[in-house]
Amino acid sequence: MLHKYRKTVLIEAEQFDGTDEMMEKYDILPDSGFVTPHHWSQWFVLPTKEGDMKLDNGDWIATGVDGEHWTIDQDIFERTYERVD
């Protein structure tokens, strides 16, 4: 039988803004990016326990209970997390 589950652990998160300070704090590296006919796009790479994760400006960097980091797309973050101060 299929059941529904809710996570019960809190995470810490901050929105990535592309600053040198955040890049240094999380060991983020710029990637080479790509060019489309109408614009140039660049993304960043966040090293994690599971391997490198793509990160864009505006995405969230989450920190779990063991200090591990991962990225969460801004749209998904806004739909699935709520702030609890």
Side-chain angles (χ1 to χ4, degrees), residues 14-26 28-30 42-45 55-61:
E14 67 180 314
Q15 195 168 28
F16 180 62
D17 60 9
T19 61
D20 290 339
E21 292 81 13
M22 286 193 78
M23 291 180 66
E24 185 175 321
K25 178 179 180 179
Y26 293 104
I28 295 169
L29 301 171
Q42 181 182 18
W43 59 84
F44 301 86
V45 175
L55 178 67
D56 291 313
N57 276 322
D59 288 350
W60 290 79
I61 300 172

Side-chain angles (χ1 to χ4, degrees), residues 29-45:
L29 301 171
D31 203 355
S32 58
F34 61 93
V35 177
T36 65
H38 302 287
H39 75 286
W40 183 81
S41 179
Q42 181 182 18
W43 59 84
F44 301 86
V45 175

